[in-house]
């Protein structure tokens, strides 16, 4: 493909097939196609070929390797064409511009130099135009090819039959089209336009290569081979042969081959390439590690838990590719314009030619003006405006640990005015610890911990795990539990050593008719005032005591809340904890009490988001747990922490690979800046065409200058997009 019109043509052809939905991306040169089961990929490829293009099905993703096609090959080919065209074409331009250099029969030398420029270096333009013409289509190359061919063929005619080939012919150069006779030649236009367009294509291809560099770097992060541990001996094998459960060794300085759990050794892992974190993270037995991270310390033995396309690195690459393949709403408008733009320009060029001929300006002037219209109008910049900004923005986001699910997400970030923050695991560390225990009269502390810990050990809830671990540490091995039951969001119950044990919120005990004694009720108020979560326990229908757990606020959360406010967002704290605990956490991070929604059951988080939306707010939600997934999906914009569950990540629109809440502010800021860049690109691309066409049609623009302006409009758009590579995270 050579322009947005090519992409639009392929897209329309594919979408005409029954049940097919296709999106073609000009910048990434990829099509994303959804098709029914009764259609095969060969049919899709054949459809692309009937449109005059080529296509190959994608190969299975291998996170350890980059794409087979080297984008540098096309860059080098264009560079070679440009260099040859410049060496041959610039003397033609100089001869045509400076009468003092015009020796006898210089015009024939100019023809000899121009012919390989037009016919060899510029061959891709003419070949593509011919292929599209054979299929009844027009693209940017149609305009370029027609403009160059008209200037070249007119010059050949003038040299052979029009008197321009006579010795002593002098050529005066003007920045405006010349009012002249059939003795005039326009070889400098044919050569100059070809040179400028090849320069533009080369710079554009280089820029596009830089645009996709972040994704290629991400794909190249994976290790190539790995030392597998078998019967105590190491054996190096290709990383593709790893299976779930395989144990492998990671030495200092090596990359972790795939996602896994550390079984032996302690070290520090450099995760900057995946999460943007500059400080290595300490890991030891039981720690989760991601493929692609670098072992900065000691020797580790890791057991593989995810391999191939299931790894975090592969998922990140897939999300980035999906985002780059999509189209924002603003791009769809540009596509509609590009689809009709070339035929309209051909009509304007024909109208310009007819007008100046009827006006009596002469065939030479009329042809030059119409050539300028053809050259200036190429909608190349329109096709690059959105994809290049998306390429760079999403690639830079991946480097910072921000994964955008699709370009439509960018539109949402602009409208969001309220951001709902889940407390546990988002604002706080999410690592609960047992901070205290108050037994009721008739129970001792060890018995309270043993009975309550036994029931909580059967639950996966973070608070339950904290109590169970604290109980084991203090009371030793916990007895078995039978008849276990879970009261979602409220607590758990079960039989321990023949005794009925109920553990949960004080509200759950009250609903079951268990009343807390005055001293325990007072202890509840004191603990909640200190920001601790209180869990009450009852044994055989009587209050047995209280267990206090605490969760510390992340050190970066207060700064993150401040940054979100600077972006014009109103932070709201959402939690299932009681109001006192929630207020203490909110006060610590700078959220006012009126923006705290507490004691919300998991099922009610969606309702809380809906209530805010009903008030006219556009809501973003940040969460990390399974119980956050419905709320993330219900919000106008869902931001899921990658440290959380796969379900939450799948439900979110933006995934934050690390658990630093400041990255949420970075994600919104980067998304808004990317959208702003897209709109800026489209404005300049439209403005350039709108301003240039009338000037060309009015006969006040030399075709060679029109070619230079068209080429550099594309370069400007891509260069403007590349500025996103300099985006800096607040967390850096």
């Amino acid at each position: 493909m050579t322009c947005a019109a090519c992409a639009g043509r392929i897209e329309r052809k594919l979408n005409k097939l029954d049940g097919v939905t296709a999106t073609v991306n000009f910048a990434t040169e990829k099509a994303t196609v959804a098709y029914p089961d009764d259609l095969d990929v060969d049919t899709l490829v054949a459809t692309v070929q009937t449109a005059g293009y080529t296509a190959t099905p994608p190969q299975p993703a291998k996170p350890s390797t980059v794409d087979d096609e080297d984008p540098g090959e096309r860059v080098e080919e264009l560079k070679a064409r440009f260099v040859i065209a410049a060496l041959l074409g610039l003397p033609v331009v100089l001869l045509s511009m400076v009468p003092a250099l015009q020796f006898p029969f210089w015009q024939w030398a100019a023809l000899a130099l121009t012919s390989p420029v037009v016919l060899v270096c510029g061959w891709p333009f003419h070949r593509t135009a011919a292929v599209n013409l054979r299929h009844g289509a027009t693209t940017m190359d149609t305009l370029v090819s027609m403009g160059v061919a008209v200037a070249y063929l007119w010059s050949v005619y003038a040299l052979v039959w029009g008197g321009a080939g006579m010795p002593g012919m002098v050529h005066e150069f003007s920045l405006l089209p010349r009012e002249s006779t059939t003795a005039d030649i326009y070889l400098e236009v044919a050569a100059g336009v070809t040179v400028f367009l090849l320069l533009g294509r080369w710079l554009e291809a280089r820029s596009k290569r830089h645009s996709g560099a972040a994704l290629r770097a991400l794909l190249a992060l994976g290790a190539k081979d790995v030392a597998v541990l078998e019967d105590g001996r190491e054996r190096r094998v290709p990383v593709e042969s790893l299976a779930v459960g395989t144990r492998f060794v990671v030495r200092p300085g090596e990359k972790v081959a795939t996602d896994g759990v550390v079984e032996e050794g302690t070290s520090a892992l450099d995760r900057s390439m995946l999460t943007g974190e500059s400080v290595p993270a300490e890991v030891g037995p039981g720690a989760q590690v991601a493929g692609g991270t670098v072992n900065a310390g000691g020797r580790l033995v890791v057991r593989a838990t995810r391999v191939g396309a299931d790894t975090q690195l592969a998922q990140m690459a897939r999300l980035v590719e999906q985002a780059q393949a999509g189209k924002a709403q603003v791009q769809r408008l540009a596509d509609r314009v590009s689809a009709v733009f070339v035929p309209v320009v051909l009509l304007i060029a024909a109208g310009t030619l007819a007008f100046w001929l009827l006006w009596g300006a002469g065939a030479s002037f009329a042809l030059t003006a119409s050539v300028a219209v053809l050259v200036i109008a190429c909608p190349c910049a329109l096709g690059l405006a959105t994809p290049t900004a998306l390429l760079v923005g999403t690639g830079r986001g991946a480097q910072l640990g921000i994964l955008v699910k699709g370009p439509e997400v960018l539109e949402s970030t602009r409208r969001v005015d309220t951001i709902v923050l889940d407390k546990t695991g988002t604002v706080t560390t999410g690592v609960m610890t047992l901070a205290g225990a108050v037994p009721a009269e008739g129970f001792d502390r060890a018995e309270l911990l043993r009975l309550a810990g036994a029931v909580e050990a059967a639950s996966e809830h973070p608070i339950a795990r904290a109590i169970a671990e604290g109980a084991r540490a203090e009371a030793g091995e916990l007895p078995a539990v039978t008849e276990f039951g879970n009261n979602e969001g409220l607590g758990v119950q079960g039989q321990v050593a023949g005794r009925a044990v109920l553990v949960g919120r004080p509200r759950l005990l009250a609903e079951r008719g268990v009343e807390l004694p005055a001293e325990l009720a007072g202890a509840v108020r004191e603990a909640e005032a200190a920001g601790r979560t209180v869990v009450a326990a009852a044994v055989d229908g009587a209050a047995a005591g209280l267990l206090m757990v605490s969760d510390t606020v992340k050190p970066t959360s207060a700064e993150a809340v401040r940054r979100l406010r600077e972006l014009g967002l109103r932070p709201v704290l959402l939690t299932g904890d009681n109001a006192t605990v929630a207020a203490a956490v909110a006060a610590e991070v700078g959220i006012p009490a009126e923006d705290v929604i507490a004691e919300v059951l998991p099922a009610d988080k969606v309702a809380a988001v809906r209530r805010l939306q009903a008030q006219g707010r556009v809501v973003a939600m940040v969460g990390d747990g399974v119980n956050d997934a419905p709320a993330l999906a219900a919000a106008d914009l869902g931001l899921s922490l990658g440290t959380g569950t796969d379900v939450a990540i799948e439900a979110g629109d933006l995934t934050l690979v690390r658990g630093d809440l400041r990255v949420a502010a970075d994600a919104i800021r980067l998304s808004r800046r990317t959208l702003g860049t897209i709109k800026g690109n489209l404005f300049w691309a439209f403005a350039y065409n709108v301003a240039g066409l009338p000037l060309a049609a009015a006969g006040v623009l030399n075709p060679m200058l029109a070619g230079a302006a068209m080429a550099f409009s594309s370069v400007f758009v891509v260069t403007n997009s590349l500025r996103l590579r300099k985006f800096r995270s607040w967390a850096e």
Side-chain angles (χ1 to χ4, degrees), residues 262-267 283-286 298-301:
V262 176
E263 291 196 339
E264 296 175 26
T266 57
S267 182
V283 294
R299 178 181 182 272
L300 296 174
V301 176

Side-chain angles (χ1 to χ4, degrees), residues 1 77 98 148 179 212 222 318 324 336 368 410 433 643:
M1 298 182 295
E77 181 200 336
V98 185
V148 170
E179 294 193 43
R318 198 156 53 241
Q324 293 176 351
R336 286 197 294 272
T368 309
L410 305 179
T433 55
T643 51

